[in-house]
Amino acid sequence: MAITPPDIPLGEAGVGHKIEFAAPSPDLAPYLGGFYSYHLRVADGVHHEEVFLPSWAHIRVLTYGSDWSMQIGRLTFFPVPRLSLCGPSSLAGIAPVSTGNLFGVSLSPRGWARLIRTNAARMADNIIPLSDVLPKQSEDIWSNVLEATDFSGQIAAMEAVLCQRLAST
């Protein structure tokens, strides 16, 4: 793990957040909705759940923290793969969470078609290991994102792999 967990103050409920967002580079803007890094600190003994609203598909990397689960409708995904492809969702996801960091990028429908190249309908409201559809790129994303020391480094690592993928289409 190259990312150093930030010192996040805890709120009254025993939970603290540090959230970062960034737009993709111009070359990837037609394919990506944006990047995010979500650091969470949860005090010992505190139960905390996050709600993930319905959205486009995502590639997500758990850069540090313990295994987590996501309930989407009647399905529970446990553990959510540390490098996951989350299909487009029509339902909110509920996730009991603990201290950790989730780095990710949202894929536009056009991005799904160019980068993932599988039937999006079969992936709706589903979470799988990214390696199931992008085995080579998964290895590069996993190692390069984990080696990054900050949010901008994570973005650069992810963008490099996604640009290579686009060039191969």
Side-chain angles (χ1 to χ4, degrees):
M1 171 185 69
I3 291 282
T4 302
D7 185 23
I8 303 171
L10 293 174
E12 289 183 26
V15 178
H17 302 85
K18 178 184 178 195
I19 303 170
E20 298 174 274
F21 293 100
S25 66
D27 290 344
L28 289 170
Y31 309 104
L32 306 178
F35 292 93
Y36 52 88
S37 177
Y38 188 77
H39 291 273
L40 186 65
R41 180 176 170 213
V42 180
D44 292 339
V46 171
H47 175 80
H48 182 70
E49 293 182 337
E50 291 288 330
V51 176
F52 291 71
L53 298 176
S55 67
W56 289 345
H58 294 258
I59 295 172
R60 292 185 175 135
V61 184
L62 181 64
T63 65
Y64 69 86
S66 45
D67 288 340
W68 63 295
S69 67
M70 171 86 73
Q71 181 178 347
I72 302 174
R74 294 180 184 199
L75 298 175
T76 298
F77 300 91
F78 181 80
V80 171
R82 289 186 170 266
L83 177 55
S84 60
L85 176 63
C86 306
S89 56
S90 63
L91 303 167
I94 307 295
V97 293
S98 60
T99 297
N101 172 245
L102 190 63
F103 167 75
V105 62
S106 62
L107 305 173
S108 71
R110 186 174 176 191
W112 180 279
R114 287 287 307 277
L115 296 164
I116 305 301
R117 303 183 206 153
T118 64
N119 185 332
R122 282 190 248 143
M123 275 298 302
D125 299 319
N126 197 3
I127 302 171
I128 64 170
L130 183 62
S131 60
D132 285 4
V133 292
L134 300 177
K136 168 64 174 104
Q137 291 83 3
S138 293
E139 293 174 20
D140 294 340
I141 289 170
W142 181 252
S143 61
N144 296 340
V145 166
L146 289 183
E147 289 174 8
T149 59
D150 59 18
F151 184 49
S152 61
Q154 290 176 319
I155 292 168
M158 180 76 79
E159 283 198 337
V161 174
L162 297 180
C163 283
Q164 289 174 350
R165 177 76 172 164
L166 280 176
S168 72
T169 59

